[in-house]
Amino acid sequence: MLLPVNTKCECGHQNAVGTVLCESCGKPLEKELLESNEPLEMRYDGVARRSQKANPDYLDKIWNFFSSVKIAIYLIIITFVGAMLGTIFPQASTFISSTFDPSVYYAEQYGLPGKIYYFLGLHRTYTSWWFITLLVMIATSLVICSIDRVLPLYRALSKQQIRKHHAFLKRQKATYSTTLAEDEAEWTKQYGQALRKKGYKVFVDESGTALLAEKNRFSRWGPYINHIGLILFLLAVLARSIPGWNVDQYVSIADGDTVPIVGTNYYVKSEGFKIELYENEELPEELKDSGRIKSFKTEVVLYECSANCNDDFEQPTLTEVHQHTILVNDPLRYKELKLHQFDFNLTPRINAVSPMVVNVQTGESYGPFHLKMVEPELHYEVGPYTLELIDKYMDFAINSEGEPITLSSSPNAPAFIFNIKGPGLAEAGEVFMYFPLEKDKVRFSQDTINRELANKVAIKVEGMENVDFSAATTHLNVRIDKAIKYLWIGAVISMIGLVMGTYWQHRRIWLRIDDQQLTLGAHTNKNWYGLRADIAYALKHCGIELDPKSLDNGGHKG
Amino acid sequence: MNWLEFSSSSLGVAFFLYVFATIFYMVAIAGKKWGKKDPKLHEARWGKIAFITSTLGLVAHLLFFFTRWIGSGQIPTSNMYEFITLLGMTIMIAYTIIYFIYKKLLLGMFALPLAIIVIAYASVFPSDVQPLVPALQSHWLKIHVTTAALGEAFFAVGFAAALMYLLRTIDFKDKTKNGKRAQRWLEFTLISILVVIGFIIAAFGFKGAGYTASFQQENASVSQLGEISTTTETVEYTMPPIFKPYNSEAIEVTPFLGMTDGLFETPSWFNGVNSGRKLNTVVWSIIVGLLLYGIIRVIIRKPLGAAIHPALEGIDPDDLDEISYRAIVIGFPIFTLGGLIFAMIWAEEAWGRFWGWDPKEVWALITWLYYSAYLHFRLSRGWQGKPSAWLAVIGFVIVLFTLVGVNLLIAGMHSYAGVE
């Protein structure tokens, strides 16, 4: 295809192999192209791209593959078609539940199509090897396409010759030629002045009869800047797989609790979760009584741990570093740590009770004493009574052998076994079982368990003010994303490039006058309409009025 | 009169001004052949009248937007009604900007009807102000939704110009295989637009007639432990049930042409919330759309495309090609910013991750990749003109799917942007 040919142009310029239009005078170099009448292909000003080498070796071939815009387009198309497939059924990653089994779910929920979907691995489309490969290939293509073109283009644009070949001028998409009566140099000067008013930089050659007017060359760099931004963006995405760069976990905190954030030095305390619904008068007719949520928020305090962190026996030393009310759109941000409102649970949890000890026979009551669910005291003196805590169950139940067990460490059904000493009781004390929650008292028949002791002594909570409980549990999403700032920088660079390349256009107008014969050609990468208007404006300034549309040489005029 | 009432009257005014402007554009173009008047003068005069009318319509539309904002205390972009009316408004803004660049009258003949259809489509959805759920309470709601809509509006204008290009350039006398195929696809595109109009007619027709039907649907689901549980729910229909919900009993069905129960049952593999009702709506839209097409065919006695084609003679197809391309070029950065970057910033703030492969996100990315492929195609020779126009038409289908289809068909995190 690319034979070693003599690439020296008649103007004396030595061009690189693969050059379509002479870099200096613009004359079409291939014989076939020279003889045709079609408008010229002005992409990259017809310069040879880096990939157009005479004898490509193995590496060159890979380079050539990725340097092709056509390949880039195919990659983009395959990627978006692949992405479409991933939206047919929900992705497996949307199910957070640990019991979720995709091999069962898709077949059950969607039948045969679901089975095929799962079999093809489309339930994890966006983390599949082929999708990632496509993204990496696009990134490679971005790098290679850009390097392949930007350097030769830069070279071509920085050493433009003013006097262009006739074939070059006449075969631009916007051309004009006429015979002038005025002085050649004077006319050129006048035309240049008009274009200067339109913001063009005007260059006239030493003879004064050839002109190059150029505007907004910087916009040519837009696509490359955009691509650099995109590459940076993709690198930032890749960087998230560095360990520790992307933390994504959840913490559940009952109101009033302080819990450590695993993998960090931080502890977080919830001062309370609140949910607010819209009042009926705030809602339109069909939403009344729908319980539409107005807000949910968690007031939190963030601590940094300086000693005894994650120690099972010692209290950690905490210093408060930050306070925040977390809303759905307003996470806690402290350095790189972010806490997002994720979910909540409105099941109350009991923390402590302050019951009275009652002498059932006399009706006298003593106390109250403070009984915590977690790490309770082992010894209590209440009036004439002494209570020793023998055992406790946080989630009381009876197993199949009839033995008491605890189902979990959460205080869902707490039970306490005391040895009570006091008036009217045995010298060594008597064993008393106490269920702080009224429902458990009935469910497990506390009075039956305690038998005749139930007629002598009782432990009773009087009023809700003596119960300390957490009304809600908030679930927060803990995030650390160290790559995010690079990601935004990439996005900003990409946007700048995009705007440069789209909202400005590189316009060039060349003209030469030989023996009173004016030949004018012009090129832009976008917005020919605007370019033609500029040419016509300047022509009018020189006394030639015409319809800008007549400058069009869209391949129809020959 | 309070703000909200004033607001909804403004939208009515905008709608009618758009209709009048469309008629004036038609007079400007078609009227050139009418009499002895100077055709150029006629076109310029009526074109000016039409543009002024459409601009007044846009002013009324902006009034609608801002008075609703004031009246409700929140930017009207939070539900389907508000979003689609916003899209109509941004289409008009994009059209007006493109008009100022190119001063081509004819674009209005297609961009305005597009805006009219969009607004009519919006009014199918309930127009009440719904207070914001926590997920939407963010200033990014204002920024992300409006910029994304503006970007998409430029794609819509690019579509309108591309459709005009095709109607202008496709030769209806061409009997070759390729020529026939192009004619068929163009006709198919026009029929698709009629199906959308069919949906609007059906929705308003049955709503106006007060049609309702309701079904008791039984849903069985298998839990992960293998237990089968059934739940029943009532499904309300507003169109006669050609397809009733899967596994359902009629509770109350207003008779329609002797129908007192669903004619067919929705197949079980149609998944999703209210899939039966959605399928039924789609079927009705197609029926009404095709009926409309049939009536038009009987009247004009030739393909729709062939009937519109002569009206566009005298327009330079190169101009249309350039306008279509330029509109997309202008829209692309705006869409990138609003539809992807602002969306990522908001997602990062609300959910802690800038990207989660949620269906709406994926489709925004698909739209973006599609148009970037389009822009790269334009670089190569041979992709200007017809192929490029077809790409712009398909691109707009993808835009519509991203905006509406995803919400209707695929559940995801954007499902709060409630559709029904």
Side-chain angles (χ1 to χ4, degrees), chain A residues 87 99 278 286 292 294 329 338 340 503 528-529 549, chain B residues 102 128 131-132 135 137 224 316 322 330 346 348 352 363:
Chain A
T87 61
T99 52
Y278 280 105
E286 83 275 4
R292 195 177 177 88
K294 191 171 189 174
N329 276 300
K338 293 186 299 162
H340 291 266
Y503 294 160
W528 289 90
Y529 185 88
K549 187 72 203 175
Chain B
Y102 288 100
D128 298 287
L132 299 178
Q137 292 165 6
Q224 277 151 10
D316 187 343
E322 167 138 2
I330 293 174
W346 191 6
E348 197 269 341
W363 276 92

PDB file of all heavy atoms in Angstrom, chain A residues 87 99 278 286 292 294 329 338 340 503 528-529 549, chain B residues 102 128 131-132 135 137 224 316 322 330 346 348 352 363:
ATOM      1  N   THR A  87     -28.384  -4.022  30.883  1.00  0.00           N
ATOM      2  CA  THR A  87     -29.549  -3.414  31.527  1.00  0.00           C
ATOM      3  C   THR A  87     -30.829  -4.214  31.296  1.00  0.00           C
ATOM      4  O   THR A  87     -31.897  -3.790  31.729  1.00  0.00           O
ATOM      5  CB  THR A  87     -29.782  -1.961  31.038  1.00  0.00           C
ATOM      6  OG1 THR A  87     -30.023  -1.981  29.625  1.00  0.00           O
ATOM      7  CG2 THR A  87     -28.584  -1.090  31.315  1.00  0.00           C
ATOM      8  N   THR A  99     -27.502 -13.653  51.175  1.00  0.00           N
ATOM      9  CA  THR A  99     -28.045 -14.957  50.795  1.00  0.00           C
ATOM     10  C   THR A  99     -28.426 -15.004  49.319  1.00  0.00           C
ATOM     11  O   THR A  99     -28.897 -16.022  48.832  1.00  0.00           O
ATOM     12  CB  THR A  99     -29.317 -15.267  51.622  1.00  0.00           C
ATOM     13  OG1 THR A  99     -30.201 -14.161  51.494  1.00  0.00           O
ATOM     14  CG2 THR A  99     -28.985 -15.497  53.069  1.00  0.00           C
ATOM     15  N   TYR A 278     -44.164  14.012  55.536  1.00  0.00           N
ATOM     16  CA  TYR A 278     -44.896  15.208  55.133  1.00  0.00           C
ATOM     17  C   TYR A 278     -46.257  15.233  55.810  1.00  0.00           C
ATOM     18  O   TYR A 278     -46.911  14.196  55.977  1.00  0.00           O
ATOM     19  CB  TYR A 278     -45.084  15.223  53.615  1.00  0.00           C
ATOM     20  CG  TYR A 278     -43.864  15.699  52.863  1.00  0.00           C
ATOM     21  CD1 TYR A 278     -43.054  14.805  52.188  1.00  0.00           C
ATOM     22  CD2 TYR A 278     -43.541  17.053  52.845  1.00  0.00           C
ATOM     23  CE1 TYR A 278     -41.924  15.250  51.498  1.00  0.00           C
ATOM     24  CE2 TYR A 278     -42.417  17.503  52.155  1.00  0.00           C
ATOM     25  CZ  TYR A 278     -41.616  16.601  51.488  1.00  0.00           C
ATOM     26  OH  TYR A 278     -40.520  17.045  50.812  1.00  0.00           O
ATOM     27  N   GLU A 286     -53.765  12.854  45.744  1.00  0.00           N
ATOM     28  CA  GLU A 286     -53.573  11.404  45.634  1.00  0.00           C
ATOM     29  C   GLU A 286     -52.434  10.888  46.512  1.00  0.00           C
ATOM     30  O   GLU A 286     -52.252   9.681  46.625  1.00  0.00           O
ATOM     31  CB  GLU A 286     -53.385  10.996  44.162  1.00  0.00           C
ATOM     32  CG  GLU A 286     -51.984  11.144  43.617  1.00  0.00           C
ATOM     33  CD  GLU A 286     -51.693  12.556  43.113  1.00  0.00           C
ATOM     34  OE1 GLU A 286     -52.564  13.430  43.259  1.00  0.00           O
ATOM     35  OE2 GLU A 286     -50.586  12.772  42.592  1.00  0.00           O
ATOM     36  N   ARG A 292     -45.428   9.895  52.805  1.00  0.00           N
ATOM     37  CA  ARG A 292     -44.270  10.324  52.024  1.00  0.00           C
ATOM     38  C   ARG A 292     -43.217  10.918  52.955  1.00  0.00           C
ATOM     39  O   ARG A 292     -43.513  11.770  53.793  1.00  0.00           O
ATOM     40  CB  ARG A 292     -44.724  11.366  51.003  1.00  0.00           C
ATOM     41  CG  ARG A 292     -43.732  11.646  49.888  1.00  0.00           C
ATOM     42  CD  ARG A 292     -44.372  12.637  48.943  1.00  0.00           C
ATOM     43  NE  ARG A 292     -43.518  13.062  47.859  1.00  0.00           N
ATOM     44  CZ  ARG A 292     -43.425  12.423  46.686  1.00  0.00           C
ATOM     45  NH1 ARG A 292     -44.079  11.314  46.505  1.00  0.00           N
ATOM     46  NH2 ARG A 292     -42.663  12.905  45.727  1.00  0.00           N
ATOM     47  N   LYS A 294     -40.289  13.102  54.367  1.00  0.00           N
ATOM     48  CA  LYS A 294     -39.756  14.442  54.139  1.00  0.00           C
ATOM     49  C   LYS A 294     -38.241  14.432  54.311  1.00  0.00           C
ATOM     50  O   LYS A 294     -37.511  15.008  53.531  1.00  0.00           O
ATOM     51  CB  LYS A 294     -40.385  15.402  55.130  1.00  0.00           C
ATOM     52  CG  LYS A 294     -40.127  16.856  54.858  1.00  0.00           C
ATOM     53  CD  LYS A 294     -40.987  17.705  55.781  1.00  0.00           C
ATOM     54  CE  LYS A 294     -40.942  19.167  55.402  1.00  0.00           C
ATOM     55  NZ  LYS A 294     -41.882  19.942  56.222  1.00  0.00           N
ATOM     56  N   ASN A 329     -28.597  13.854  51.007  1.00  0.00           N
ATOM     57  CA  ASN A 329     -27.714  14.569  50.085  1.00  0.00           C
ATOM     58  C   ASN A 329     -26.638  15.366  50.799  1.00  0.00           C
ATOM     59  O   ASN A 329     -26.063  16.286  50.230  1.00  0.00           O
ATOM     60  CB  ASN A 329     -28.541  15.493  49.186  1.00  0.00           C
ATOM     61  CG  ASN A 329     -29.104  14.749  47.994  1.00  0.00           C
ATOM     62  OD1 ASN A 329     -28.359  14.202  47.198  1.00  0.00           O
ATOM     63  ND2 ASN A 329     -30.422  14.689  47.901  1.00  0.00           N
ATOM     64  N   LYS A 338     -16.029   9.510  54.265  1.00  0.00           N
ATOM     65  CA  LYS A 338     -17.386   9.997  54.051  1.00  0.00           C
ATOM     66  C   LYS A 338     -18.367   9.014  54.667  1.00  0.00           C
ATOM     67  O   LYS A 338     -18.193   7.805  54.555  1.00  0.00           O
ATOM     68  CB  LYS A 338     -17.692  10.112  52.553  1.00  0.00           C
ATOM     69  CG  LYS A 338     -16.891  11.170  51.852  1.00  0.00           C
ATOM     70  CD  LYS A 338     -17.344  11.323  50.411  1.00  0.00           C
ATOM     71  CE  LYS A 338     -17.138  10.023  49.666  1.00  0.00           C
ATOM     72  NZ  LYS A 338     -17.902   9.937  48.443  1.00  0.00           N
ATOM     73  N   HIS A 340     -22.388   8.207  54.577  1.00  0.00           N
ATOM     74  CA  HIS A 340     -23.637   8.509  53.881  1.00  0.00           C
ATOM     75  C   HIS A 340     -24.811   7.824  54.562  1.00  0.00           C
ATOM     76  O   HIS A 340     -24.702   6.674  54.989  1.00  0.00           O
ATOM     77  CB  HIS A 340     -23.570   8.009  52.435  1.00  0.00           C
ATOM     78  CG  HIS A 340     -22.616   8.767  51.600  1.00  0.00           C
ATOM     79  ND1 HIS A 340     -22.983   9.834  50.822  1.00  0.00           N
ATOM     80  CD2 HIS A 340     -21.284   8.617  51.429  1.00  0.00           C
ATOM     81  CE1 HIS A 340     -21.927  10.304  50.202  1.00  0.00           C
ATOM     82  NE2 HIS A 340     -20.878   9.585  50.543  1.00  0.00           N
ATOM     83  N   TYR A 503     -17.066  24.654  20.467  1.00  0.00           N
ATOM     84  CA  TYR A 503     -17.669  25.981  20.401  1.00  0.00           C
ATOM     85  C   TYR A 503     -16.793  26.984  19.652  1.00  0.00           C
ATOM     86  O   TYR A 503     -17.193  28.111  19.421  1.00  0.00           O
ATOM     87  CB  TYR A 503     -18.015  26.488  21.799  1.00  0.00           C
ATOM     88  CG  TYR A 503     -19.110  25.655  22.438  1.00  0.00           C
ATOM     89  CD1 TYR A 503     -19.316  25.628  23.798  1.00  0.00           C
ATOM     90  CD2 TYR A 503     -19.950  24.863  21.643  1.00  0.00           C
ATOM     91  CE1 TYR A 503     -20.314  24.853  24.370  1.00  0.00           C
ATOM     92  CE2 TYR A 503     -20.935  24.082  22.201  1.00  0.00           C
ATOM     93  CZ  TYR A 503     -21.112  24.078  23.561  1.00  0.00           C
ATOM     94  OH  TYR A 503     -22.099  23.305  24.111  1.00  0.00           O
ATOM     95  N   TRP A 528     -19.255  25.486   8.320  1.00  0.00           N
ATOM     96  CA  TRP A 528     -18.940  26.078   7.020  1.00  0.00           C
ATOM     97  C   TRP A 528     -19.770  27.308   6.777  1.00  0.00           C
ATOM     98  O   TRP A 528     -19.347  28.245   6.112  1.00  0.00           O
ATOM     99  CB  TRP A 528     -19.201  25.046   5.919  1.00  0.00           C
ATOM    100  CG  TRP A 528     -18.173  23.983   5.966  1.00  0.00           C
ATOM    101  CD1 TRP A 528     -18.226  22.815   6.669  1.00  0.00           C
ATOM    102  CD2 TRP A 528     -16.905  24.003   5.321  1.00  0.00           C
ATOM    103  NE1 TRP A 528     -17.070  22.112   6.499  1.00  0.00           N
ATOM    104  CE2 TRP A 528     -16.243  22.815   5.667  1.00  0.00           C
ATOM    105  CE3 TRP A 528     -16.264  24.914   4.488  1.00  0.00           C
ATOM    106  CZ2 TRP A 528     -14.979  22.508   5.222  1.00  0.00           C
ATOM    107  CZ3 TRP A 528     -15.007  24.605   4.030  1.00  0.00           C
ATOM    108  CH2 TRP A 528     -14.365  23.413   4.387  1.00  0.00           C
ATOM    109  N   TYR A 529     -20.940  27.308   7.313  1.00  0.00           N
ATOM    110  CA  TYR A 529     -21.862  28.423   7.175  1.00  0.00           C
ATOM    111  C   TYR A 529     -21.201  29.714   7.660  1.00  0.00           C
ATOM    112  O   TYR A 529     -21.210  30.734   6.974  1.00  0.00           O
ATOM    113  CB  TYR A 529     -23.103  28.086   8.002  1.00  0.00           C
ATOM    114  CG  TYR A 529     -24.213  29.048   7.898  1.00  0.00           C
ATOM    115  CD1 TYR A 529     -25.167  28.916   6.891  1.00  0.00           C
ATOM    116  CD2 TYR A 529     -24.347  30.085   8.814  1.00  0.00           C
ATOM    117  CE1 TYR A 529     -26.216  29.809   6.806  1.00  0.00           C
ATOM    118  CE2 TYR A 529     -25.393  30.971   8.734  1.00  0.00           C
ATOM    119  CZ  TYR A 529     -26.323  30.825   7.734  1.00  0.00           C
ATOM    120  OH  TYR A 529     -27.351  31.706   7.648  1.00  0.00           O
ATOM    121  N   LYS A 549     -23.726  31.371   0.010  1.00  0.00           N
ATOM    122  CA  LYS A 549     -23.959  29.982  -0.362  1.00  0.00           C
ATOM    123  C   LYS A 549     -23.252  29.625  -1.674  1.00  0.00           C
ATOM    124  O   LYS A 549     -22.891  28.472  -1.914  1.00  0.00           O
ATOM    125  CB  LYS A 549     -25.475  29.779  -0.488  1.00  0.00           C
ATOM    126  CG  LYS A 549     -25.927  28.365  -0.711  1.00  0.00           C
ATOM    127  CD  LYS A 549     -25.768  27.508   0.530  1.00  0.00           C
ATOM    128  CE  LYS A 549     -25.687  26.056   0.119  1.00  0.00           C
ATOM    129  NZ  LYS A 549     -25.431  25.145   1.206  1.00  0.00           N
TER     130      LYS A 549
ATOM    131  N   TYR B 102     -28.579  30.212  12.241  1.00  0.00           N
ATOM    132  CA  TYR B 102     -28.747  29.886  10.822  1.00  0.00           C
ATOM    133  C   TYR B 102     -29.880  30.637  10.130  1.00  0.00           C
ATOM    134  O   TYR B 102     -29.947  30.647   8.911  1.00  0.00           O
ATOM    135  CB  TYR B 102     -28.952  28.382  10.650  1.00  0.00           C
ATOM    136  CG  TYR B 102     -27.691  27.607  10.899  1.00  0.00           C
ATOM    137  CD1 TYR B 102     -27.460  26.975  12.107  1.00  0.00           C
ATOM    138  CD2 TYR B 102     -26.712  27.536   9.920  1.00  0.00           C
ATOM    139  CE1 TYR B 102     -26.289  26.281  12.340  1.00  0.00           C
ATOM    140  CE2 TYR B 102     -25.536  26.849  10.137  1.00  0.00           C
ATOM    141  CZ  TYR B 102     -25.333  26.222  11.346  1.00  0.00           C
ATOM    142  OH  TYR B 102     -24.177  25.556  11.554  1.00  0.00           O
ATOM    143  N   ASP B 128     -49.896  17.398  39.524  1.00  0.00           N
ATOM    144  CA  ASP B 128     -49.804  17.950  40.877  1.00  0.00           C
ATOM    145  C   ASP B 128     -48.365  18.186  41.276  1.00  0.00           C
ATOM    146  O   ASP B 128     -47.464  17.476  40.846  1.00  0.00           O
ATOM    147  CB  ASP B 128     -50.396  16.971  41.895  1.00  0.00           C
ATOM    148  CG  ASP B 128     -51.860  16.733  41.642  1.00  0.00           C
ATOM    149  OD1 ASP B 128     -52.638  17.638  41.921  1.00  0.00           O
ATOM    150  OD2 ASP B 128     -52.185  15.637  41.147  1.00  0.00           O
ATOM    151  N   PRO B 131     -44.251  17.110  46.809  1.00  0.00           N
ATOM    152  CA  PRO B 131     -43.091  17.540  47.584  1.00  0.00           C
ATOM    153  C   PRO B 131     -41.934  16.537  47.426  1.00  0.00           C
ATOM    154  O   PRO B 131     -42.156  15.346  47.213  1.00  0.00           O
ATOM    155  CB  PRO B 131     -43.592  17.583  49.017  1.00  0.00           C
ATOM    156  CG  PRO B 131     -44.970  17.085  49.027  1.00  0.00           C
ATOM    157  CD  PRO B 131     -45.442  16.876  47.638  1.00  0.00           C
ATOM    158  N   LEU B 132     -40.733  17.031  47.530  1.00  0.00           N
ATOM    159  CA  LEU B 132     -39.562  16.223  47.204  1.00  0.00           C
ATOM    160  C   LEU B 132     -39.267  15.158  48.256  1.00  0.00           C
ATOM    161  O   LEU B 132     -39.302  15.427  49.456  1.00  0.00           O
ATOM    162  CB  LEU B 132     -38.338  17.129  47.070  1.00  0.00           C
ATOM    163  CG  LEU B 132     -38.399  18.194  45.986  1.00  0.00           C
ATOM    164  CD1 LEU B 132     -37.132  19.028  46.008  1.00  0.00           C
ATOM    165  CD2 LEU B 132     -38.582  17.555  44.623  1.00  0.00           C
ATOM    166  N   ALA B 135     -34.161  11.951  48.615  1.00  0.00           N
ATOM    167  CA  ALA B 135     -33.125  11.745  47.606  1.00  0.00           C
ATOM    168  C   ALA B 135     -33.018  12.913  46.630  1.00  0.00           C
ATOM    169  O   ALA B 135     -31.966  13.165  46.061  1.00  0.00           O
ATOM    170  CB  ALA B 135     -33.390  10.463  46.842  1.00  0.00           C
ATOM    171  N   GLN B 137     -33.708  16.132  47.405  1.00  0.00           N
ATOM    172  CA  GLN B 137     -33.514  17.431  48.041  1.00  0.00           C
ATOM    173  C   GLN B 137     -32.053  17.850  47.933  1.00  0.00           C
ATOM    174  O   GLN B 137     -31.269  17.668  48.861  1.00  0.00           O
ATOM    175  CB  GLN B 137     -33.946  17.363  49.508  1.00  0.00           C
ATOM    176  CG  GLN B 137     -35.447  17.178  49.662  1.00  0.00           C
ATOM    177  CD  GLN B 137     -35.826  16.747  51.064  1.00  0.00           C
ATOM    178  OE1 GLN B 137     -34.987  16.700  51.952  1.00  0.00           O
ATOM    179  NE2 GLN B 137     -37.084  16.425  51.272  1.00  0.00           N
ATOM    180  N   GLN B 224     -35.929 -16.935  49.054  1.00  0.00           N
ATOM    181  CA  GLN B 224     -34.653 -17.623  48.885  1.00  0.00           C
ATOM    182  C   GLN B 224     -34.604 -18.932  49.674  1.00  0.00           C
ATOM    183  O   GLN B 224     -33.771 -19.784  49.430  1.00  0.00           O
ATOM    184  CB  GLN B 224     -33.514 -16.708  49.309  1.00  0.00           C
ATOM    185  CG  GLN B 224     -33.148 -15.766  48.179  1.00  0.00           C
ATOM    186  CD  GLN B 224     -32.601 -14.454  48.662  1.00  0.00           C
ATOM    187  OE1 GLN B 224     -32.311 -14.289  49.834  1.00  0.00           O
ATOM    188  NE2 GLN B 224     -32.479 -13.516  47.755  1.00  0.00           N
ATOM    189  N   ASP B 316     -32.080  23.837   0.821  1.00  0.00           N
ATOM    190  CA  ASP B 316     -30.801  23.247   0.516  1.00  0.00           C
ATOM    191  C   ASP B 316     -30.524  22.095   1.489  1.00  0.00           C
ATOM    192  O   ASP B 316     -30.425  22.314   2.693  1.00  0.00           O
ATOM    193  CB  ASP B 316     -29.728  24.334   0.652  1.00  0.00           C
ATOM    194  CG  ASP B 316     -28.390  23.829   0.182  1.00  0.00           C
ATOM    195  OD1 ASP B 316     -28.234  22.608   0.063  1.00  0.00           O
ATOM    196  OD2 ASP B 316     -27.514  24.681  -0.050  1.00  0.00           O
ATOM    197  N   GLU B 322     -25.897  20.337   7.747  1.00  0.00           N
ATOM    198  CA  GLU B 322     -25.025  21.114   8.628  1.00  0.00           C
ATOM    199  C   GLU B 322     -25.732  21.490   9.931  1.00  0.00           C
ATOM    200  O   GLU B 322     -25.159  21.415  11.009  1.00  0.00           O
ATOM    201  CB  GLU B 322     -24.530  22.367   7.905  1.00  0.00           C
ATOM    202  CG  GLU B 322     -23.895  23.339   8.872  1.00  0.00           C
ATOM    203  CD  GLU B 322     -22.628  23.986   8.359  1.00  0.00           C
ATOM    204  OE1 GLU B 322     -22.247  23.701   7.221  1.00  0.00           O
ATOM    205  OE2 GLU B 322     -22.043  24.766   9.123  1.00  0.00           O
ATOM    206  N   ILE B 330     -23.261  21.175  19.320  1.00  0.00           N
ATOM    207  CA  ILE B 330     -23.502  22.120  20.416  1.00  0.00           C
ATOM    208  C   ILE B 330     -24.043  21.371  21.636  1.00  0.00           C
ATOM    209  O   ILE B 330     -23.686  21.651  22.773  1.00  0.00           O
ATOM    210  CB  ILE B 330     -24.477  23.241  19.978  1.00  0.00           C
ATOM    211  CG1 ILE B 330     -23.816  24.105  18.910  1.00  0.00           C
ATOM    212  CG2 ILE B 330     -24.910  24.088  21.164  1.00  0.00           C
ATOM    213  CD1 ILE B 330     -24.717  25.155  18.300  1.00  0.00           C
ATOM    214  N   TRP B 346     -23.405  14.494  41.717  1.00  0.00           N
ATOM    215  CA  TRP B 346     -24.571  14.310  42.586  1.00  0.00           C
ATOM    216  C   TRP B 346     -24.585  12.889  43.168  1.00  0.00           C
ATOM    217  O   TRP B 346     -24.827  12.697  44.372  1.00  0.00           O
ATOM    218  CB  TRP B 346     -25.867  14.588  41.810  1.00  0.00           C
ATOM    219  CG  TRP B 346     -27.074  14.666  42.691  1.00  0.00           C
ATOM    220  CD1 TRP B 346     -27.105  14.640  44.059  1.00  0.00           C
ATOM    221  CD2 TRP B 346     -28.437  14.782  42.267  1.00  0.00           C
ATOM    222  NE1 TRP B 346     -28.396  14.745  44.509  1.00  0.00           N
ATOM    223  CE2 TRP B 346     -29.233  14.833  43.436  1.00  0.00           C
ATOM    224  CE3 TRP B 346     -29.053  14.870  41.024  1.00  0.00           C
ATOM    225  CZ2 TRP B 346     -30.622  14.941  43.382  1.00  0.00           C
ATOM    226  CZ3 TRP B 346     -30.441  14.984  40.983  1.00  0.00           C
ATOM    227  CH2 TRP B 346     -31.212  15.014  42.145  1.00  0.00           C
ATOM    228  N   GLU B 348     -22.145  10.996  43.725  1.00  0.00           N
ATOM    229  CA  GLU B 348     -21.072  10.889  44.718  1.00  0.00           C
ATOM    230  C   GLU B 348     -21.546  11.474  46.045  1.00  0.00           C
ATOM    231  O   GLU B 348     -21.247  10.961  47.106  1.00  0.00           O
ATOM    232  CB  GLU B 348     -19.846  11.646  44.197  1.00  0.00           C
ATOM    233  CG  GLU B 348     -18.553  11.290  44.889  1.00  0.00           C
ATOM    234  CD  GLU B 348     -18.267  12.169  46.079  1.00  0.00           C
ATOM    235  OE1 GLU B 348     -18.847  13.272  46.186  1.00  0.00           O
ATOM    236  OE2 GLU B 348     -17.465  11.757  46.920  1.00  0.00           O
ATOM    237  N   GLY B 352     -22.563   8.223  47.665  1.00  0.00           N
ATOM    238  CA  GLY B 352     -21.196   7.909  48.039  1.00  0.00           C
ATOM    239  C   GLY B 352     -20.368   7.349  46.914  1.00  0.00           C
ATOM    240  O   GLY B 352     -19.189   7.136  47.074  1.00  0.00           O
ATOM    241  N   TRP B 363     -27.620   4.036  30.589  1.00  0.00           N
ATOM    242  CA  TRP B 363     -28.209   4.555  29.352  1.00  0.00           C
ATOM    243  C   TRP B 363     -27.731   5.962  29.033  1.00  0.00           C
ATOM    244  O   TRP B 363     -27.618   6.331  27.862  1.00  0.00           O
ATOM    245  CB  TRP B 363     -29.738   4.445  29.380  1.00  0.00           C
ATOM    246  CG  TRP B 363     -30.135   3.075  28.937  1.00  0.00           C
ATOM    247  CD1 TRP B 363     -30.350   1.996  29.737  1.00  0.00           C
ATOM    248  CD2 TRP B 363     -30.281   2.616  27.584  1.00  0.00           C
ATOM    249  NE1 TRP B 363     -30.622   0.893  28.968  1.00  0.00           N
ATOM    250  CE2 TRP B 363     -30.590   1.236  27.650  1.00  0.00           C
ATOM    251  CE3 TRP B 363     -30.177   3.218  26.343  1.00  0.00           C
ATOM    252  CZ2 TRP B 363     -30.803   0.465  26.502  1.00  0.00           C
ATOM    253  CZ3 TRP B 363     -30.390   2.457  25.206  1.00  0.00           C
ATOM    254  CH2 TRP B 363     -30.696   1.100  25.294  1.00  0.00           C
TER     255      TRP B 363
END
